[in-house]
Amino acid sequence: MTLTDERAALPDPLTTVSPAPLLPTFDPGPTDRMRGWLVTGFLTMITAITRFTMLSYPTDAGTPVFDEKHYVPQAYQVLTGGWLEDNPGYGLVVHPPVGKWLIAMGEALFGYNAWGWRFASAVAGTVLVLLIIRIVRRMARSTMIGAAAGVLAICDGLLFVSSRVGLLDVFLALFATAAFGCLVVDRDDVRARMARVAVEHRIGATPYGPRLGVRWWRFGAGVFLGLACATKWSGIYFVLCFTLLSLIFDLTARRGYRVERPVRGVLRRDLGPTAWAMGIVPVAIYLASYWPWFASETGVYRHAVGNQIGTGGLFGFVPDALRSLWYYAASVLRFHEGLTNSAGNHHPWESKPWTWLMGLRPMLYYYADGDRIRGCSGSSCVKAVMLIGTPAIWWLALPMLGWALWCVAVRRDWRYGAVLIGYAAALLPWFLELDRQMYYFYAATLAPFLIMGVALALGDILGPARAPAERRGTGLLACCLYLGLVIANFVWLWPILTALPISTVTWNRELWLPSWR
């Protein structure tokens, strides 16, 4: 071969096209849709049976128990007073109205009785399990792991009891979990849109990547976050954390599809719409929840401007109704700020957030003993409802968190990262003011993310589908044994979750730790 022939055989650097960078393939998720919905429906039916069975039991002689005594009459006053809480006999109404509206709907359907004021909680608790199943199924791309998450959610004592009392926390957990689920679906939707643009070779049309259009799932997340805030103010923590999560999803999508300037792309293409969907929409939903108050003449502090506060000043340009609502909110905040241990406010069952990780300090909702209690095998009987997380789940919180952090740091597993952000939103803000009175029922929003994390870890124990049969079989055996342990633990706790009459000896056997007493 001559020198001229050798030169001719070399590629021309001016005409040779380098191979395109490898772009991620879009995973549409599990393909067994029918089986997925059948499994979801079956587990949801089991959930409903556990939540609605003996729902009207127990009561204090036909009256609400524990903090139901606050929300149940307020809900009935909402129902009979034009959806407005304006009775001075209740003192300061300290929570937004949406949760009490939901309780009131049950009272409207079934009357002012235990079934009526607990019906909405049972519905919310059932739907919450359904959401956990579907979210985990989507994240794990496995109907089996989604089903495992459903079993964990059914058998968690905290979620179980929260679904059977007329309190607000189960509604907050439902709305926060629904918002999280919307963002997980939005992540998949964004990547599907990016994949279409990549197929059309338009990713590099601008250095910031494509505009993604209207994102209804992200809008749905904003709606649910607004409902969370309109149930309890602690919903604001999820607004902040889930806004960050949405932007992280957008950034990783643009980086994954080789957008030239992904950070600037997020700032230019995604930040504004995210602020609208995750900021403006929740505020609008929150304000809309006060429409009966705005429309009233008798609402608490409805006419604070001109009475409690002046008509002029720096914020005189703000409409009087909004200024009055702001004053109302400030009064509520002062009320909460005064509920501190240093001010002498103590409760025998209060707890601090570091105990919530493993459910070390549960909450006694109902207790009755003495000669009037019958139905047990012993000489003296006890009936109790204790809010307690199933230890077989909650005592794995620290290993789950350690594994999740490792998976995020080493494997860059977005699923654990998302779960950790939700977990942090439910837990970490409570460390900011430890002097306040706090209770384990605040951890109701923590439970869904703990369960998601444990379920994802079960998926890792099970192993990938391409693993050898012996590896998968061993993993499946370990997962089944663990789920059997969880079910057995839940059955063991059943008497003190449902106030079944038990002997004093059995009651003491149920209380495993000194901190449970």
Side-chain angles (χ1 to χ4, degrees):
M1 180 180 292
T2 65
L3 181 60
T4 303
D5 294 333
E6 291 179 356
R7 288 177 176 173
L10 294 174
D12 185 351
L14 298 179
T15 59
T16 300
V17 179
S18 60
L22 183 63
L23 296 177
T25 57
F26 174 67
D27 181 2
T31 57
D32 56 341
R33 295 187 62 183
M34 179 63 72
R35 185 167 73 103
W37 278 112
L38 287 175
V39 170
T40 302
F42 176 77
L43 290 175
T44 303
M45 180 185 67
I46 297 298
T47 305
I49 292 172
T50 63
R51 270 53 177 174
F52 284 94
T53 300
M54 298 191 305
L55 183 62
S56 61
Y57 173 84
T59 64
D60 281 341
T63 66
V65 300
F66 188 58
D67 274 4
E68 285 185 333
K69 294 180 172 121
H70 296 294
Y71 306 116
V72 168
Q74 288 179 3
Y76 192 70
Q77 202 273 328
V78 163
L79 179 63
T80 58
W83 297 95
L84 177 69
E85 300 166 271
D86 59 359
N87 189 338
Y90 298 143
L92 186 63
V93 179
V94 296
H95 290 298
V98 165
K100 285 164 279 189
W101 287 1
L102 295 174
I103 296 173
M105 291 178 186
E107 293 173 346
L109 290 173
F110 301 103
Y112 191 70
N113 53 58
W115 184 272
W117 64 62
R118 293 171 183 165
F119 176 77
S121 296
V123 172
T126 302
V127 175
L128 178 58
V129 174
L130 183 150
L131 289 178
I132 291 172
I133 296 169
R134 301 303 296 182
I135 292 169
V136 173
R137 177 181 181 271
R138 177 176 287 269
M139 289 196 299
R141 300 306 198 246
S142 168
T143 297
M144 183 185 297
I145 302 305
V151 172
L152 295 176
I154 291 171
C155 296
D156 176 40
L158 175 61
L159 291 183
F160 174 78
V161 174
S162 298
S163 303
R164 293 169 54 84
V165 291
L167 303 182
L168 306 181
D169 303 275
V170 69
F171 304 124
L172 179 60
L174 172 65
F175 294 138
T177 304
F180 180 81
C182 286
L183 290 181
V184 171
V185 179
D186 177 68
R187 175 191 180 275
D188 286 350
D189 184 52
V190 165
R191 289 179 173 259
R193 298 185 192 191
M194 294 288 286
R196 286 196 296 270
V197 173
V199 168
E200 297 168 358
H201 304 290
R202 293 190 291 109
I203 288 290
T206 73
Y208 311 115
R211 292 183 175 87
L212 298 172
V214 178
R215 291 161 55 178
W216 290 108
W217 286 106
R218 184 176 59 186
F219 174 81
V223 171
F224 284 118
L225 289 172
L227 291 172
C229 293
T231 300
K232 273 192 165 185
W233 279 0
S234 49
I236 188 63
Y237 305 139
F238 292 96
V239 173
L240 298 175
C241 290
F242 286 177
T243 299
L244 175 63
L245 178 62
S246 180
L247 292 174
I248 291 174
F249 281 165
D250 292 341
L251 178 61
T252 55
R254 293 185 183 275
R255 279 182 173 169
Y257 281 90
R258 306 296 193 271
V259 170
E260 182 180 346
R261 296 181 178 178
V263 175
R264 291 190 180 183
V266 169
L267 295 176
R268 293 180 64 126
R269 302 280 198 248
D270 304 316
L271 182 59
T274 300
W276 178 81
M278 308 287 285
I280 303 302
V281 170
V283 170
I285 296 293
Y286 177 83
L287 292 177
S289 71
Y290 279 93
W291 68 264
W293 184 87
F294 284 119
S296 75
E297 293 294 331
T298 59
V300 177
Y301 295 134
R302 173 60 183 85
H303 294 286
V305 176
N307 292 290
Q308 285 83 3
I309 56 178
T311 57
L314 180 62
F315 297 99
F317 66 94
V318 178
D320 288 353
L322 290 178
R323 292 185 64 197
S324 295
L325 183 60
W326 184 264
Y327 180 83
Y328 181 10
S331 301
V332 172
L333 182 61
R334 285 195 297 271
F335 171 82
H336 285 297
E337 289 177 340
L339 295 176
T340 60
N341 298 144
S342 59
N345 295 295
H346 297 279
H347 191 281
W349 288 97
E350 67 179 298
S351 60
K352 296 304 180 184
W354 57 79
T355 68
W356 303 347
L357 286 166
M358 296 173 59
L360 298 180
R361 182 59 174 163
M363 191 87 194
L364 187 63
Y365 277 179
Y366 173 84
Y367 182 85
D369 60 0
D371 296 337
R372 59 192 177 92
I373 306 301
R374 294 285 187 269
C376 73
S377 58
S379 58
S380 61
C381 301
V382 170
K383 293 196 304 184
V385 174
M386 179 170 280
L387 181 76
I388 183 168
T390 303
I393 301 172
W394 286 78
W395 289 4
L396 293 182
L398 293 179
M400 184 279 290
L401 291 173
W403 175 248
L405 289 169
W406 186 89
C407 288
V408 172
V410 177
R411 292 167 37 177
R412 299 294 190 268
D413 193 325
W414 70 270
R415 304 169 305 164
Y416 287 103
V419 168
L420 286 175
I421 288 178
Y423 194 94
L427 177 66
L428 294 184
W430 298 105
F431 284 88
L432 299 177
E433 194 175 357
L434 293 175
D435 191 31
R436 268 198 56 188
Q437 276 186 307
M438 300 179 192
Y439 305 95
Y440 184 50
F441 56 75
Y442 293 170
T445 55
L446 194 64
F449 301 101
L450 171 64
I451 290 169
M452 291 180 200
V454 172
L456 291 175
L458 289 179
D460 291 333
I461 293 172
L462 179 62
R466 63 181 179 275
E470 185 175 356
R471 164 68 179 83
R472 289 275 291 183
T474 304
L476 180 61
L477 176 62
C479 292
C480 290
L481 289 175
Y482 171 69
L483 291 176
L485 177 64
V486 169
I487 294 171
N489 196 182
F490 180 64
V491 171
W492 174 270
L493 293 172
W494 181 268
I496 64 171
L497 301 176
T498 58
L500 291 182
I502 55 177
S503 67
T504 304
V505 174
T506 302
W507 164 249
N508 289 322
R509 287 174 180 170
E510 295 279 353
L511 306 179
W512 291 357
L513 301 177
S515 61
W516 291 12
R517 299 178 181 272

